[in-house]
């Protein structure tokens, strides 16, 4: 019962992290305008995502434009596109595999060995999904920080970390922790059964050692006394 509850909680958290990863992929707030310099008041804010650029004005009007050429994009954005798409696919696959391996489902019948292996595979896939989210988010954050402290970059081209970066870090952590917990809830009945069987076979096959025949009691070492 404890393992079943932990599986449900970890699976729910993993699905939540997967949905957050989808939101991170679609959001344009990966890089935002840095308010530095003498003029801190601006009428528009620039958002840069992995799929589009958006300009948000203080009046509430926003314009977005997708990138015209994929090959002209920086390497971090190209890698972020590929890895985030892979993360979304792995998240969907992880949810499907984990559902089949959970104790509360009827998939795989009553075969505990198969269900434990399926649940373990689902947890590992969730961990890989979290890594696929963590790599592009951290790479983009590193490039933003380097450009921000680079004196050769003009002030109007400097950017700061957007909300999507922080949301991506949270999603990656949730996915990896949930995957680890989901993998740890699998019972290790195979190893225990092997040990029990081995112990049973060792005791069953062991032959009792031939006991030495009883030795006659001798009184040679004891003083002889006569009793009347």
């Amino acid at each position: 019962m404890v393992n079943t509850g932990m599986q449900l909680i970890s699976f729910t958290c993993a699905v939540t992290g997967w949905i957050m990863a989808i939101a991170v992929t679609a959001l344009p707030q990966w890089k935002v305008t840095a308010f530095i310099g003498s003029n801190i008041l601006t009428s528009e804010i620039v958002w840069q995502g992995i799929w589009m650029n958006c300009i948000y004005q203080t009046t509430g009007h926003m314009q977005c434009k997708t990138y015209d050429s994929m090959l002209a994009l920086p390497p971090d954005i190209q890698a972020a596109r590929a890895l985030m798409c892979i993360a979304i696919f792995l998240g969907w696959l992880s949810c499907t595999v984990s559902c089949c391996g959970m104790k509360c489902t009827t998939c795989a019948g009553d075969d505990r060995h198969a269900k434990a292996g399926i649940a373990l595979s689902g947890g590992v896939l969730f961990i890989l999904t979290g890594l696929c989210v963590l790599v592009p988010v951290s790479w983009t954050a590193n490039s933003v920080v380097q450009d921000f402290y680079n004196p050769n970059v003009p002030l109007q081209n400097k950017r700061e970390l957007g909300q999507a970066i922080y949301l991506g870090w949270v999603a990656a952590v949730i996915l990896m922790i949930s995957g680890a917990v989901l993998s740890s809830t699998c019972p290790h009945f195979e190893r225990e059964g092997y040990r029990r069987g081995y112990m049973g076979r060792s005791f069953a096959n062991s032959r009792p050692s031939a006991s030495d025949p009883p030795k006659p009691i001798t009184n040679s070492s004891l003083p002889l006394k006569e009793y009347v």
Side-chain angles (χ1 to χ4, degrees), residues 138-179:
S138 301
W139 190 357
T140 303
N142 182 45
S143 64
V144 170
V145 172
Q146 287 182 354
D147 292 341
F148 186 85
Y149 291 106
N150 189 0
N152 298 325
V153 178
L155 294 179
Q156 62 271 14
N157 294 335
K158 293 181 182 293
R159 298 290 182 263
E160 290 184 354
L161 303 179
Q163 294 84 353
I165 298 294
Y166 300 102
L167 186 63
W169 280 330
V170 174
V173 172
I174 291 176
L175 285 169
M176 289 188 291
I177 293 178
S178 301

Side-chain angles (χ1 to χ4, degrees), residues 47-168:
W47 295 339
Q48 293 182 357
I50 60 176
W51 301 101
M52 65 184 71
N53 283 339
C54 295
I55 298 178
Y56 178 78
Q57 299 179 354
T58 55
T59 57
H61 185 68
M62 184 175 63
Q63 295 180 350
C64 295
K65 181 182 178 181
T66 58
Y67 297 114
D68 297 331
S69 177
M70 184 183 66
L71 299 178
L73 296 175
D76 57 340
I77 296 181
Q78 294 182 10
R81 280 187 174 187
L83 290 175
M84 293 304 295
C85 291
I86 294 174
I88 293 174
F89 172 75
L90 286 179
W92 170 79
L93 185 62
S94 303
C95 294
T96 305
V97 173
S98 299
C99 286
C100 297
M102 295 181 66
K103 292 183 178 180
C104 58
T105 60
T106 58
C107 298
D110 296 332
D111 192 353
R112 296 183 178 180
H113 294 265
K115 292 182 73 70
I118 294 173
L120 180 62
S121 301
V124 173
L125 287 175
F126 274 124
I127 295 175
L128 293 177
T129 304
L131 291 176
C132 289
V133 176
L134 181 63
V135 171
V137 170
S138 301
W139 190 357
T140 303
N142 182 45
S143 64
V144 170
V145 172
Q146 287 182 354
D147 292 341
F148 186 85
Y149 291 106
N150 189 0
N152 298 325
V153 178
L155 294 179
Q156 62 271 14
N157 294 335
K158 293 181 182 293
R159 298 290 182 263
E160 290 184 354
L161 303 179
Q163 294 84 353
I165 298 294
Y166 300 102
L167 186 63

